Amino acid sequence: MTFQQLSEAVLRKDLCTVCGACQLACPAGVVGFSGLEPVLTEPSWTESDCGGCRDCLDVCPGADPGTPAAETRLFGRSRAPRERWTGIFSEVLAGHALDPVVFEASASGGSLTALLQTALAVLGADVVLTMGRDPEQPWRAAPALVREPRLLAETAQSTYQLAPYLGALREVRLTEPDADVAVVGVACHIQALRKLQAMDTAAGRWARDHVVLAVEPACSSSTRPEGTQAVIEERALVPVDSVVRLRYREGDYPGEIAIATRDGGDHRVAFWKAVRDFAKNKTYRCLACGDWLSGLADVSVSDGDPNIFAASVDGARELKHGRVFVRTEAGAAAVAAARDHGFFTGSPTDLSGLNLGLERKRNRRASYERSGRPVPHGPIPGHREELEIVPDERWIAVPGEDRPPDRPPDRAADRVTEPPTDQATDPPADRPPDRAADSPVDLATARVVGPSVEATAGRLVEQVVGGLDAVDRGGDR
């Protein structure tokens, strides 16, 4: 009855992350996806045929990411309140890839790609799971299994689109059971992977023995394919069936949406404009998510620039690089090997400025926690965000673009000042949360341009990472 239980506990509550772990974990191989929806793929299979198997439910991070238990296994402890959004780590580096092809192709310096190259070239990994494109529809995201370090440059940047992902490892597990794997994934992927590694099943034992490195980028939220389709058709004004290549952050930092078409066309859309199209195409689970980083990867990386939305509007003020959070012994060994073999360079840095995407995520999480709807568990049991909520539309206001014509340019509506009350941002209880207009907080992606952002970033540092030096950030692994 487990798939039925999964449906009741996760799918019907809109808590599916589309991670694909259920597809990887199912012993019978009867779980697949129809678009973004998990389904039973065998016509003759009924939910009663699952018997007492719980694997798809146990591996699912949708309702319960399982963070405290995973942290205890990895570090010998769970995170402290001051580590709520950063997780446990041993050091933070400002770094980037040394391969000029990877650096140029990357969104934020290519640190993750450098580590994946190191996994293949030095650490004994046979294959890397990364997010690529569907060969039949090159504008759609799809998992890619990469076996040569040089081929990772094509996937060396952000993909702002949901697609079933971890299920691609099922083929590796069944056809190459001795192959070692490196995985890059966002928070929900890494949470599912750690849950799988704790399971006493064939798939769990394989994951423990053969996943040699797990790395993650920071994630403010992901987007349904329709968000990318809107950018292509409504911004670039080209039909999706003419697209032969899509990149989300191509060119000078922080990059543009780059769309290559069959007729040789090269179409560009400013990143900050695309963000607004993405905003209308979020899932409830992504919006209610409590994790910017899972904190469970061996290494985590965020943009070094604290606000790529502002950089897209005003021009970059920082050199392209990433903030690299080293967490486990495996992560430290990978970073050391990447340095020693010329894949990566980095130096210690602090967390000043951190990331405005994180501030936005904290505000949104607070709003969903107060909405009365089911939300996924956060990394600290019982913890709730206590802050005055700033609506998302104020984080992405662009002076001259959004100001009503009858308002002078120095009005408070053009910048973040005092946040609104919680009541102003909480949805009516009978309102479905899965459309942009119906959400507790407007669903766009990152910030207000102007001096007030610096004050907000300062508050973020004080609230989230203040006093980190006094906290034990290390672990046993």
Side-chain angles (χ1 to χ4, degrees), residues 157-459:
Q157 62 170 242
S158 304
T159 293
Y160 298 94
Q161 188 183 151
L162 289 164
Y165 188 59
L166 293 175
L169 290 175
R170 187 177 184 88
E171 173 189 348
V172 177
R173 182 174 78 83
L174 296 179
T175 64
E176 303 173 75
D178 295 325
D180 287 338
V181 177
V183 175
V184 57
V186 294
C188 55
H189 300 140
I190 303 301
Q191 290 159 346
L193 179 63
R194 296 309 191 196
K195 292 186 83 171
L196 180 64
Q197 289 176 324
M199 293 167 59
D200 187 20
T201 64
R205 290 187 289 274
W206 173 85
R208 285 195 297 276
D209 293 342
H210 293 288
V211 176
V212 297
L213 186 68
V215 297
E216 68 178 339
C219 181
S220 180
S221 65
S222 196
T223 304
R224 291 188 183 96
E226 291 86 348
T228 296
Q229 185 174 359
V231 172
I232 294 168
E233 294 185 335
E234 298 171 23
R235 298 283 187 181
L237 302 178
V238 297
V240 291
D241 59 7
S242 70
V243 175
V244 296
R245 187 172 184 263
L246 171 72
R247 304 276 284 176
Y248 284 90
R249 289 176 59 183
E250 188 88 332
D252 292 343
Y253 187 76
E256 301 175 296
I257 312 295
I259 305 158
T261 50
R262 194 173 293 110
D263 60 3
D266 180 16
H267 308 268
R268 301 294 174 112
V269 176
F271 178 74
W272 68 269
K273 293 182 179 179
V275 159
R276 300 178 176 212
D277 296 323
F278 297 158
K280 304 168 187 174
N281 290 280
K282 306 290 185 181
T283 68
Y284 174 81
R285 176 56 173 82
C286 277
L287 293 169
C289 178
D291 299 285
W292 180 59
L293 299 163
S294 74
L296 305 178
D298 298 305
V299 179
S300 309
V301 177
S302 71
D303 263 282
D305 188 319
N307 201 312
I308 59 172
F309 186 89
S312 177
V313 174
D314 292 341
R317 297 188 178 100
E318 299 203 22
L319 297 176
K320 182 162 69 169
H321 72 285
R323 273 199 177 98
V324 180
F325 295 73
V326 182
R327 302 189 186 278
T328 66
E329 285 186 3
V335 170
R339 282 171 157 163
D340 292 345
H341 290 82
F343 289 105
F344 170 79
T345 185
S347 58
T349 188
D350 59 30
L351 293 178
S352 59
L354 205 56
N355 189 293
L356 252 292
L358 170 53
E359 178 73 356
R360 168 182 156 264
K361 189 149 198 168
R362 291 179 65 235
N363 275 260
R364 193 169 57 218
R365 173 69 176 187
S367 184
Y368 276 83
E369 285 176 343
R370 301 169 201 179
S371 72
R373 288 292 309 273
V375 296
H377 295 178
I380 300 177
H383 178 89
R384 286 172 60 90
E385 291 300 305
E386 298 297 336
L387 73 163
E388 293 181 286
I389 298 167
V390 179
D392 263 7
E393 69 268 18
R394 296 174 70 181
W395 292 113
I396 61 163
V398 178
E401 281 280 328
D402 300 317
R403 186 174 59 251
D406 60 339
R407 284 188 176 175
D410 60 346
R411 289 288 296 271
D414 295 329
R415 58 188 186 273
V416 173
T417 53
E418 290 302 313
T421 64
D422 300 341
Q423 185 177 5
T425 56
D426 285 345
D430 59 351
R431 212 179 246 186
D434 209 24
R435 299 193 303 275
D438 294 332
S439 328
V441 177
D442 201 328
L443 313 180
T445 320
R447 75 98 96 152
V448 168
V449 180
S452 57
V453 172
E454 299 306 321
T456 304
R459 290 200 308 273

